[in-house]
Amino acid sequence: MKFSKKSLLLLVFGLLLSVLVACASEPDENDSSSDETGEGTEDAAPAGEQDLMIATLSDAVSLDPAGSNDTPSSNVQANIFESLTKQDENMEVQPSLAESWEQVEDTVWEFKLREGIKFHDGTDFNAEAVKKSIERILDPEVASPRLFLYEMITDIEVVDDYTVRFTTEYPFSPLPAHLAHNGGGIISPAVIEEDYAAMEAGEDPGSVINEKPYGTGFFKFEEWQPGTQITLVKNDDYWGEQALLDSVTFKVVGEGLTRVAELETGTSHIADPISPNDVAQIEAMDGASPAKQDSVSLSYIGFNMEKEPFNDPLVRQAINLAIDKEQIITGIYDGNGIPAVGPLAPGVLGYDENAPGLEYDPDRARELLAEAGYEDGFSTTLWTNDSPERMDTATNLQAQLADFGIKVEIEVLEWGAYLEQTAQGEHDMFILGWSTVTGDADYGLYPLFHSENVGEPGNRTFTKDDELDGLLEEARQESDPDTRLELYSEIQTKLTDIAPMLYIHHQQFLLGVSDKVQGLTQLPTGILQLHEVSLQE
């Protein structure tokens, strides 16, 4: 489904299967092949210059698929690099660089690769290139934050030039979905070798790849002005159907009102994201419309469980019970999204609609605070990045917790610094988001709560619980679907007791889109699909 030109579409994601694809599941700085679009026709030729401008909230952290785990980076990488598999608009796994695959044994998967494909630097794509890219993510020296996606892989065998086999430590049914993640983007082996040489000379991993992000995608890297913009241009030698756009520029526009103004003046064609408060203004615009997409994302307030008083589960449970989430969802998000009982969105495989939650109960919250020794409250800090909704959420939380004697100081950090410092555990409480981009509970739980993933991979609450670790490991290794579901139900119940987070809601992504933009799709993961986009007068 694609965005209509004049109406606000509700793109509803359906029941996701266990083989759903990963695309940019990671911390998200936003809170916020298809049919023809609206009044345009499928066969209509693009008119005029095909240079798309996207006003986006934050800059990419890295262009190296192994070097980041955030949505702004993935939104750019998705156009440069391709993975073995990909997701369609229904979130189902489809062929990409691999034309077919099969599970030949419980722990062995074989992928047949497409032939005749070249990287942007002219290097041939083949099984050796796949092996180099995935092994690089597994390399401890690279220290990829996306290691958890592929850590179950124990061997990568080049069977022939266009056949590759993956052996896993245990049966892992979501592997085709994980291989579709942006982290599995295949990089030119020549650039990988150059990057390793730079590492030996003392450079950071990915230093060369950030300058030469050579993939096989329908766009090629043109220029990165850090903090300002990233420009991609059409790959005229693309192996499949070429992009319709000549170029796309991701322009960093941190102020929400400025993004709306860029849309209104035609300076930018897409404002990503827009605030719920901006929807009415954009609806009234001549030549632009808002677009809404349901998501597999979670917005949450995390607690640093290694710092007092958040090392006490009673305090964490009390704050959950003290907060009226409806104030935030209705007052700040204008009702866009549904309340979150746990970390998994409805439709994610493993979501348990009967899992217990910590619902609003201020009297019980006061009892727990008193039991923990904080009857008179305490002082703490709450971090956020500069998303308007998150800053407003922080202010709301500050006001609500003041009724319990909890004094909250709000600190707003730049996106890159925010990710770095929360990964290092320098925070007390923080506001962030996560997308279960594979549509499978493993991705929505294992990175966020397993002790091996503390820090940059996703576990910024510093959750360390041996029993929980064991359940998460057992669930990802279980091949029986019914047993897996039972394990994930048990995990969701246990997380209610541990209370590492205050789950806010599963949001809806909001964009402002010029009527000139045809063929745009945004997936439930938040990643913009630009392959078939064109500009019409």
Side-chain angles (χ1 to χ4, degrees), residues 15-224:
L15 180 64
L16 304 180
L17 305 178
S18 64
V19 292
L20 295 181
V21 59
C23 80
S25 179
E26 60 253 353
D28 181 0
E29 95 291 10
N30 303 336
D31 259 333
S32 63
S33 64
S34 306
D35 298 331
E36 65 271 18
T37 298
E39 300 166 14
T41 62
E42 192 173 44
D43 297 324
E49 294 183 357
Q50 295 293 300
D51 300 311
L52 182 72
M53 296 291 298
I54 302 174
T56 186
L57 171 62
S58 298
D59 198 5
V61 174
S62 174
L63 298 184
D64 175 6
S68 64
N69 199 30
D70 66 297
T71 299
S73 299
S74 292
N75 242 329
V76 178
Q77 294 168 10
N79 298 282
I80 302 172
F81 299 98
E82 294 176 299
S83 305
L84 296 187
T85 57
K86 66 179 181 181
Q87 61 185 0
D88 64 17
E89 62 189 48
N90 297 315
M91 296 282 291
E92 295 180 353
V93 172
Q94 301 292 343
S96 183
L97 291 178
E99 59 185 13
S100 65
W101 58 91
E102 64 175 327
Q103 189 172 8
V104 295
E105 298 177 24
D106 285 348
T107 59
V108 180
W109 292 79
E110 184 173 281
F111 288 76
K112 296 290 186 181
L113 309 180
R114 297 185 190 273
E115 300 183 21
I117 298 175
K118 290 187 178 294
F119 290 95
H120 298 155
D121 61 354
T123 304
D124 290 332
F125 166 76
N126 52 32
E128 285 288 352
V130 172
K131 181 178 173 70
K132 278 183 178 290
S133 281
I134 304 301
E135 284 187 340
R136 178 172 177 267
I137 299 175
L138 300 174
D139 186 349
E141 295 298 318
V142 174
S144 172
R146 286 168 164 171
L147 169 64
F148 67 89
L149 280 162
Y150 310 111
E151 64 184 359
M152 73 293 300
I153 296 174
T154 58
D155 184 62
I156 305 173
E157 177 189 359
V158 174
V159 178
D160 57 43
D161 284 350
Y162 297 100
T163 306
V164 62
R165 282 185 176 178
F166 295 91
T167 300
T168 59
E169 181 181 355
Y170 43 80
F172 189 67
S173 58
L175 184 65
H178 279 226
L179 286 168
H181 192 283
N182 289 109
I186 308 301
I187 306 167
S188 164
V191 178
I192 290 177
E193 291 176 4
E194 190 176 345
D195 196 78
Y196 269 116
M199 288 172 59
E200 291 179 2
E203 298 292 330
D204 291 333
S207 60
V208 173
I209 296 171
N210 266 312
E211 295 178 356
K212 302 176 181 180
Y214 297 152
T216 61
F218 39 85
F219 285 112
K220 300 190 297 185
F221 174 72
E222 174 75 10
E223 181 186 29
W224 186 3

Side-chain angles (χ1 to χ4, degrees), residues 125-427:
F125 166 76
N126 52 32
E128 285 288 352
V130 172
K131 181 178 173 70
K132 278 183 178 290
S133 281
I134 304 301
E135 284 187 340
R136 178 172 177 267
I137 299 175
L138 300 174
D139 186 349
E141 295 298 318
V142 174
S144 172
R146 286 168 164 171
L147 169 64
F148 67 89
L149 280 162
Y150 310 111
E151 64 184 359
M152 73 293 300
I153 296 174
T154 58
D155 184 62
I156 305 173
E157 177 189 359
V158 174
V159 178
D160 57 43
D161 284 350
Y162 297 100
T163 306
V164 62
R165 282 185 176 178
F166 295 91
T167 300
T168 59
E169 181 181 355
Y170 43 80
F172 189 67
S173 58
L175 184 65
H178 279 226
L179 286 168
H181 192 283
N182 289 109
I186 308 301
I187 306 167
S188 164
V191 178
I192 290 177
E193 291 176 4
E194 190 176 345
D195 196 78
Y196 269 116
M199 288 172 59
E200 291 179 2
E203 298 292 330
D204 291 333
S207 60
V208 173
I209 296 171
N210 266 312
E211 295 178 356
K212 302 176 181 180
Y214 297 152
T216 61
F218 39 85
F219 285 112
K220 300 190 297 185
F221 174 72
E222 174 75 10
E223 181 186 29
W224 186 3
Q225 300 175 26
T228 302
Q229 66 183 38
I230 297 173
T231 300
L232 312 179
V233 296
K234 180 167 65 174
N235 178 11
D236 291 325
D237 298 318
Y238 182 60
W239 61 270
E241 291 188 14
Q242 289 189 4
L244 301 177
L245 295 168
D246 294 316
S247 71
V248 55
T249 298
F250 295 85
K251 181 180 179 182
V252 181
V253 182
E255 172 57 46
L257 292 177
T258 306
R259 289 195 296 278
V260 173
E262 291 234 342
L263 182 67
E264 187 166 25
T265 60
T267 307
S268 292
H269 302 100
I270 299 172
D272 178 22
I274 61 170
S275 166
N277 296 329
D278 298 328
V279 170
Q281 179 181 350
I282 294 175
E283 284 180 326
M285 282 184 188
D286 184 17
S289 303
K292 183 183 296 186
Q293 168 65 57
D294 286 343
S295 79
V296 289
S297 294
L298 167 74
S299 64
Y300 68 88
I301 287 99
F303 310 113
N304 186 340
M305 292 170 54
E306 292 192 335
K307 284 191 175 183
E308 293 184 359
F310 304 112
N311 58 343
D312 188 335
L314 296 180
V315 173
R316 303 192 299 267
Q317 292 170 17
I319 292 180
N320 270 270
L321 296 167
I323 299 300
D324 180 5
K325 292 185 283 192
E326 283 296 337
Q327 288 189 28
I328 298 172
I329 297 170
T330 303
I332 297 173
Y333 291 93
D334 201 24
N336 290 293
I338 61 174
V341 176
L344 301 180
V348 170
L349 182 77
Y351 167 78
D352 183 359
E353 62 180 5
N354 298 314
L358 294 169
E359 299 303 320
Y360 180 53
D361 188 342
D363 292 335
R364 180 60 179 155
R366 289 186 171 87
E367 292 175 2
L368 291 180
L369 284 172
E371 186 178 343
Y374 296 98
E375 185 174 2
D376 297 325
F378 54 86
S379 297
T380 188
T381 59
L382 173 61
W383 285 11
T384 179
N385 68 308
D386 56 0
S387 159
E389 289 74 38
R390 286 186 179 158
M391 290 190 291
D392 288 346
T393 296
T395 302
N396 179 280
L397 199 79
Q398 181 186 54
Q400 291 200 56
L401 290 180
D403 292 339
F404 297 83
I406 300 174
K407 299 178 182 178
V408 177
E409 179 183 352
I410 299 170
E411 295 185 20
V412 180
L413 284 74
E414 179 272 332
W415 179 240
Y418 187 57
L419 291 181
E420 179 181 355
Q421 293 179 45
T422 52
Q424 294 171 353
E426 298 178 17
H427 56 287

